[in-house]
């Protein structure tokens, strides 16, 4: 179905054409003076010069055409030539009925199925997830859900950092601590143990220890590089240890991502595309794209139109080692071959924007990807503390994601127990986890991705203002009213939307009507913050309506049924939107 502004503009275009003017002048926008009108059209002002006529004359002629309009209840020509518009209550009600009856509230689906790959997550194995991993996971999950809702086939990939020197460092430290393990006996031919020779806690302590040693002891680093070489060249014991590292790390990651309600379709990493590197590098050389510069192999990616310096994309270092850019290019190549995507979206820290600019240009120049495939990088800002500086623990370290989640959940539990003394603690804890997740995700997603923001536990967990708990509280309030209506014998299946009977009811209906416009913008701009802004406005409109309207106490059963139908639609839209953001609402709070 058409978006609300398209439907209104269509009526206005007919009026301009009927008055003898170009129909494109009939574009309608939301009013910037809501105290005067709901929508406005400035086409008469734009047409004055072309038709050599005073804009107020054109506006009056168009207004005359709309006297019998079923779309507008009032059309007013105002000097010097504005058209002020007020929607008909019947038209608005009809539009919402069409939304209610349509799949996905009438959102238009793409003409042909297209595939999108969303690359988000990007953690290194053997390291705990920390606050820096929050944004890629939360934004990526929402972008994925929004694209699926918009009718696209979407594949989410975590893209693990699971190759390179960090693996060699871990293996080296294990070798020093447990030299008796069969993985280090090159003459060993038996089966290796099924159980890993370390726990996740040990593994997370091993890496920083090994990293510290390698910076101070050149021989230790040399040994780590040797072990990295052995791993990458398929030495049996090293590969078996690597399998253990991946398995233990991924199991722990999955638990943490599950707490964030984040899921990946693919658990691939840098290691996945290692088989492609030799052939890809050779093709770049043969194609005349790659050349040696100071011993390294590079591809020039600068363009004549560049206003800033874009350095060459390094494919291999002078020692022949691959880099992130090499594996990212190979990953693009593999994705094109396996999935034939129309769009690839990468979600990382905005400080990597130059890296992706180089990689995307290199991928196109070397024909790894066609010109028709969109490559998009969404660079996000940092998570800061209340002081505006990067978020740190009290001892100056980077907070673990697990701890961040538990801190929010504990604060939510405290607030719920304070306000609901009658609620069993076990139920309060379940609700605190649900509301805590909303607090974290909404607190992050309500900010434009590129902006830094402050992680403020007090503000995020507040039940007032632009917060996740406020949105959930609104949904729970609606659920409570609907439950009361059913307890009194009402059936939600039999209620029908009716034209608004008050300004507050109409304002709520108009907010609902903006859904499709918002969703299109949220998808095309990869912008979950637009969903947040929309549901905050919708929640505010509902709460104003609730405070000014007798709903359950309404004595006229027909009117009551119309109000209840509006509540059902409001709840459905709000719940759809929070699902797109990656959280849900409890039945009570």
């Amino acid at each position: 179905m058409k978006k609300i502004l398209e439907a209104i503009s269509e009526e206005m275009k007919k009026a301009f054409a009927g008055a003898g003017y170009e129909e494109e002048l009939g574009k309608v926008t939301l009013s910037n003076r809501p105290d005067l009108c709901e929508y406005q059209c400035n086409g008469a002002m734009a047409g004055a010069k072309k038709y050599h006529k005073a804009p107020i004359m054109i506006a009056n002629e168009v207004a005359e055409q709309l006297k019998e309009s079923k779309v507008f209840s009032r059309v007013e020509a105002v000097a010097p030539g504005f058209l002020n518009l007020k929607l008909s209550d019947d038209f608005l009600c009809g539009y919402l009925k069409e939304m209610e009856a349509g799949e996905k509230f009438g959102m238009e689906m793409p003409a042909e199925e297209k595939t999108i790959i969303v690359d988000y997550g990007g953690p290194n194995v053997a390291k705990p997830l920390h606050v820096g991993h929050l944004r890629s996971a939360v934004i990526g999950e929402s972008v994925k859900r929004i694209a699926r809702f918009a009718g696209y086939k979407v594949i989410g990939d975590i893209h693990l950092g699971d190759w390179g020197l960090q693996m060699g460092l871990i293996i080296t430290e294990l070798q020093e601590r447990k030299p008796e393990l069969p993985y280090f006996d090159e003459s060993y031919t038996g089966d290796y143990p099924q159980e890993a020779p370390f726990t996740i806690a040990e593994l997370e302590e091993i890496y920083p220890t090994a990293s510290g040693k390698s910076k101070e002891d050149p021989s230790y680093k040399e040994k780590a590089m040797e072990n990295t070489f052995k791993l990458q060249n398929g030495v049996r014991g090293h590969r078996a240890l690597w399998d253990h590292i991946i398995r233990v790390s991924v199991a722990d990651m999955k638990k943490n991502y599950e707490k964030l309600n984040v899921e990946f379709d693919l658990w691939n990493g840098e290691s996945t595309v290692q088989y492609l590197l030799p052939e890809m590098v050779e093709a770049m050389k043969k194609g005349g794209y790659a050349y040696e510069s100071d011993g390294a192999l590079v591809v020039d990616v600068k363009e004549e139109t560049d206003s800033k310096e874009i350095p060459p994309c390094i494919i291999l270092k002078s020692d022949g080692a691959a880099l992130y850019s090499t594996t990212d290019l190979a990953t693009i190549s593999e994705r094109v071959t396996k999935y034939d995507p129309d769009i690839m979206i990468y979600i990382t820290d905005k400080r990597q924007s130059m890296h992706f600019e180089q990689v995307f240009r290199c991928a196109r120049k070397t024909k790894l990807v066609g010109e028709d495939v969109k490559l998009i990088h969404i660079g996000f800002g940092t998570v800061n503390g209340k002081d505006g500086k990067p978020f740190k623990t009290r001892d100056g370290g980077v907070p673990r994601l697990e701890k961040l989640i538990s801190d929010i959940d504990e604060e939510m539990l405290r607030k719920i127990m304070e306000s609901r003394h009658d609620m069993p603690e076990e139920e309060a804890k379940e609700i605190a986890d649900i509301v805590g997740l909303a607090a974290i995700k909404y607190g992050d997603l309500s900010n434009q991705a590129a902006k830094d923001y402050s992680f403020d536990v007090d503000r995020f967990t507040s039940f007032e203002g632009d917060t996740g708990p406020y949105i959930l509280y609104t949904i729970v309030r609606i659920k409570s009213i609907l439950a009361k209506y059913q307890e009194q014998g009402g059936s939600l299946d039999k209620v029908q939307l009716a034209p608004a009977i008050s300004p507050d009811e109409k304002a709520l209906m108009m907010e609902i009507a903006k859904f499709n416009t918002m969703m299109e913008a949220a998808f095309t701009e990869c912008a979950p913050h637009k969903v947040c802004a929309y549901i905050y406005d919708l929640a505010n409109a509902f709460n104003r309506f609730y405070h000014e309207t007798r709903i359950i106490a309404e004595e006229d059963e027909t009117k009551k049924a119309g109000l209840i139908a509006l509540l059902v639609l409001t709840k459905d839209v709000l719940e759809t939107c929070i699902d797109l953001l990656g959280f849900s609402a409890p039945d009570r709070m």
Side-chain angles (χ1 to χ4, degrees):
M1 65 184 282
K2 292 182 178 71
K3 294 185 281 297
I4 186 77
L5 276 173
E6 288 175 347
I8 300 168
S9 292
E10 196 172 87
E11 181 78 352
M12 185 58 72
K13 285 176 180 179
K14 284 181 195 170
F16 267 90
Y21 301 106
E22 191 180 90
E23 71 167 25
E24 286 310 307
L25 294 171
K27 186 181 177 186
V28 174
T29 60
L30 263 174
S31 171
N32 55 20
R33 285 290 305 276
D35 54 319
L36 298 178
C37 58
E38 295 165 351
Y39 293 90
Q40 66 188 64
C41 175
N42 301 338
M45 306 285 286
K49 191 172 181 182
K50 180 174 181 179
Y51 292 99
H52 308 292
K53 220 172 196 180
I56 191 65
M57 290 175 69
I58 297 174
N60 278 318
E61 289 171 36
V62 173
E64 187 65 27
Q65 292 285 322
L66 291 164
K67 270 190 171 178
E68 304 300 319
S69 172
K70 291 181 180 177
V71 174
F72 304 110
S73 62
R74 191 181 81 211
V75 178
E76 190 179 7
V78 180
F82 300 115
L83 282 158
N84 290 350
L85 313 168
K86 189 176 180 183
L87 281 191
S88 148
D89 292 337
D90 286 336
F91 169 78
L92 181 58
C93 180
Y95 186 85
L96 261 60
K97 281 182 176 177
E98 199 178 340
M99 280 182 69
E100 183 184 48
E103 191 180 347
K104 297 182 179 178
F105 307 111
M107 185 175 178
E108 286 187 17
M109 294 294 103
E112 55 184 276
E113 186 179 71
K114 292 190 174 184
T115 300
I116 298 175
I117 293 178
V118 183
D119 183 318
Y120 64 109
N124 289 320
V125 299
K127 294 183 186 178
L129 295 176
H130 55 74
V131 67
H133 295 113
L134 175 68
R135 299 212 73 187
S136 57
V138 167
I139 297 168
E141 183 68 19
S142 185
V143 166
K144 180 185 76 178
R145 289 171 181 237
I146 289 167
R148 279 185 182 157
F149 189 85
Y152 291 79
K153 178 185 176 184
V154 188
I155 301 163
D157 187 2
I158 191 169
H159 198 73
L160 295 163
D162 63 353
W163 207 241
L165 183 59
Q166 73 187 66
M167 295 293 113
L169 286 165
I170 293 165
I171 292 169
T172 302
E173 186 59 23
L174 278 168
Q175 196 170 15
E176 293 219 339
R177 295 183 185 194
K178 303 178 181 182
E180 73 285 356
L181 290 173
Y183 309 96
F184 305 117
D185 180 357
E186 294 188 9
S187 63
Y188 183 77
T189 56
D191 292 334
Y192 291 112
Q194 291 290 309
E195 187 122 356
F198 45 75
T199 63
I200 184 64
E202 288 171 323
L203 192 57
E204 289 174 354
E205 180 270 324
I206 283 170
Y207 176 73
T209 302
S211 181
K213 284 185 181 179
S214 73
K215 288 169 186 169
E216 295 171 4
D217 184 351
S219 64
Y220 187 94
K221 185 172 183 179
E222 194 175 324
K223 193 175 180 184
M225 289 172 76
E226 186 185 325
N227 278 324
T228 305
F229 181 81
K230 286 181 177 180
L231 168 67
Q232 294 181 352
N233 281 273
V235 170
R236 186 167 165 264
H238 286 57
R239 280 294 173 97
L241 265 180
W242 180 78
D243 284 338
H244 283 312
I245 294 167
I246 299 298
R247 198 160 49 247
V248 169
S249 287
V250 167
D252 187 63
M253 280 179 199
K254 283 184 176 178
K255 281 194 296 184
N256 279 287
Y257 281 122
E258 192 177 328
K259 285 177 186 172
L260 279 175
N261 198 20
V262 168
E263 293 178 345
F264 299 94
D265 303 292
L266 303 175
W267 284 78
N268 291 339
E270 292 176 277
S271 63
T272 310
V273 295
Q274 293 303 310
Y275 74 98
L276 285 173
L277 298 189
E279 189 181 329
M280 182 186 77
V281 170
E282 195 54 39
M284 286 181 180
K285 287 179 182 174
K286 280 186 178 174
Y289 304 116
Y291 65 94
E292 275 198 24
S293 174
D294 296 328
L297 189 71
V298 303
V299 173
D300 276 332
V301 292
K302 64 183 178 183
E303 295 171 2
E304 286 181 13
T305 53
D306 289 336
S307 57
K308 62 178 180 181
E309 184 66 28
I310 307 288
C313 185
I314 303 173
I315 308 300
L316 296 175
K317 292 198 294 185
S318 56
D319 61 1
L323 297 92
Y324 285 127
S325 52
T326 327
T327 52
D328 278 341
L329 287 162
T331 300
I332 287 174
S333 177
E334 186 187 61
R335 285 171 177 166
V336 168
T337 304
K338 282 190 173 180
Y339 307 107
D340 189 24
D342 299 278
I343 304 170
M344 287 187 245
I345 301 170
Y346 292 75
I347 297 159
T348 72
D349 189 311
K350 66 184 177 185
R351 288 172 291 190
Q352 294 184 42
S353 59
M354 177 59 79
H355 165 79
F356 282 102
E357 182 69 38
Q358 292 170 300
V359 166
F360 292 169
R361 288 188 182 193
C362 186
R364 291 205 191 282
K365 184 172 183 176
T366 59
K367 306 293 190 286
L368 292 179
V369 63
E371 289 297 327
D372 57 335
V373 178
K374 281 187 187 174
L375 298 171
I376 300 167
H377 175 235
I378 300 172
F380 54 78
T382 56
V383 180
N384 297 327
K386 284 186 184 180
D387 59 0
K389 295 176 182 174
F391 203 40
K392 301 281 185 186
T393 58
R394 285 180 184 173
D395 60 4
V398 179
R400 290 178 67 139
L401 193 50
E402 201 170 7
K403 180 72 166 60
L404 206 69
I405 296 168
S406 69
D407 284 351
I408 287 274
D409 289 349
E410 282 171 22
E411 179 60 16
M412 284 313 321
L413 179 60
R414 185 188 68 76
K415 288 186 175 183
I416 290 168
M417 292 300 287
E418 271 183 10
S419 61
R420 294 294 301 267
H421 302 295
D422 60 322
M423 188 178 284
E425 189 170 349
E426 193 172 321
E427 184 186 356
K429 190 176 183 318
E430 284 178 17
I431 293 171
D433 289 351
I434 294 170
V435 183
L437 181 62
I440 290 173
K441 286 197 160 188
Y442 190 92
D444 187 302
L445 293 170
S446 56
N447 300 279
Q448 200 169 337
K451 293 182 178 176
D452 302 345
Y453 77 90
S454 295
F455 195 93
D456 186 337
V457 173
D458 293 333
R459 183 168 66 82
F460 286 6
T461 58
S462 172
F463 287 92
E464 296 176 357
D466 191 5
T467 70
Y470 169 69
I471 302 297
L472 296 196
Y473 188 74
T474 302
I475 294 171
V476 169
R477 172 176 273 169
I478 297 171
K479 285 183 176 182
S480 173
I481 299 167
L482 297 179
K484 244 179 224 172
Y485 181 72
Q486 289 174 297
E487 282 165 18
Q488 293 175 2
S491 169
L492 299 183
D493 295 329
K494 293 179 181 176
V495 295
Q496 282 193 350
L497 287 164
I501 52 178
S502 73
D504 291 306
E505 185 181 359
K506 187 176 186 183
L508 174 57
M509 294 173 92
M510 286 178 66
E511 285 299 332
I512 294 172
K514 295 174 188 174
F515 174 81
N516 289 327
T517 304
M518 175 279 296
M519 278 305 304
E520 184 181 86
F523 168 67
T524 55
E525 297 172 37
C526 298
H529 73 276
K530 289 187 178 290
V531 181
C532 294
Y534 171 76
I535 57 176
Y536 180 55
D537 286 345
L538 182 56
N540 283 338
F542 167 77
N543 284 311
R544 281 192 296 271
F545 159 75
Y546 167 78
H547 287 298
E548 297 297 326
T549 310
R550 288 155 55 95
I551 301 173
I552 294 296
E554 173 57 59
E555 292 174 3
D556 184 319
E557 289 300 323
T558 304
K559 282 183 182 177
K560 187 195 286 189
L563 295 172
I564 291 295
L566 181 56
L567 263 65
V568 172
L569 182 56
T570 304
K571 178 184 79 73
D572 290 347
V573 170
L574 283 170
E575 289 194 313
T576 296
C577 288
I578 64 171
D579 183 65
L580 296 174
L581 299 174
F583 57 89
S584 59
D587 290 327
R588 68 174 188 148
M589 280 165 73

